Amino acid sequence: MTKGTYARILPALLAAPFLCAMAPGDMSVAAFLARATSLERLGPLALATPQGNQLKGEVVAAGKRYKARIDAERRAGRKTTSCPPESGSLTPDQWLSHLRTYPVTARKSVSVYSAFDALMKKRYPCPT
């Protein structure tokens, strides 16, 4: 390879990690639980750690994506998959309990976003 070839390839190689990064909320339930379990010993201080902030960010991002989808469905006049109130709360214990209901064998294939959506369907079903 010539020096010119390296100059053309280098920007693509440097950009690759950014292009391949997962969107917030796309972490698997297995990865989330593994990280959360390692932080549980810290109790409430876990959220003050960088890893705790990352996990919180995953849930917040999943919640924002979920709300944006529900709002778009409502604006379009389509039936939504769940009927949550405009605002609500979810404790870390409630969230972790929900994630732990997934079979261990399925956790790698379920994203945090999908798990959030399933929890909202369970907690806030639409009236029939």
Side-chain angles (χ1 to χ4, degrees):
M1 286 188 160
T2 65
K3 192 174 184 179
T5 305
Y6 285 121
R8 285 186 300 225
I9 295 174
L10 186 60
L13 292 175
L14 293 175
F18 297 108
L19 297 174
C20 296
M22 293 187 314
D26 285 344
M27 179 185 288
S28 73
V29 168
F32 189 97
L33 284 174
R35 292 177 183 177
T37 300
S38 72
L39 292 173
E40 277 184 318
R41 61 181 166 69
L42 299 175
L45 296 175
L47 289 176
T49 66
Q51 195 170 22
N53 269 335
Q54 181 192 13
L55 293 180
K56 180 181 176 184
E58 286 287 318
V59 179
V60 168
K64 286 180 179 179
R65 278 175 61 188
Y66 166 81
K67 183 168 178 8
R69 192 192 82 230
I70 292 293
D71 289 347
E73 288 173 350
R74 286 177 177 159
R75 280 192 305 274
R78 292 190 302 262
K79 186 177 178 194
T80 60
T81 56
S82 57
C83 295
E86 278 303 310
S87 64
S89 63
L90 179 65
T91 68
D93 287 338
Q94 291 170 326
W95 174 244
L96 292 173
S97 293
H98 171 68
L99 294 183
R100 289 182 176 123
T101 65
Y102 287 92
V104 175
T105 55
R107 291 177 182 175
K108 284 186 179 180
S109 62
V110 178
S111 70
V112 167
Y113 174 72
S114 295
F116 191 92
D117 185 58
L119 178 60
M120 294 299 105
K121 287 177 187 175
K122 188 166 93 176
R123 285 180 77 172
Y124 304 111
C126 293
T128 55

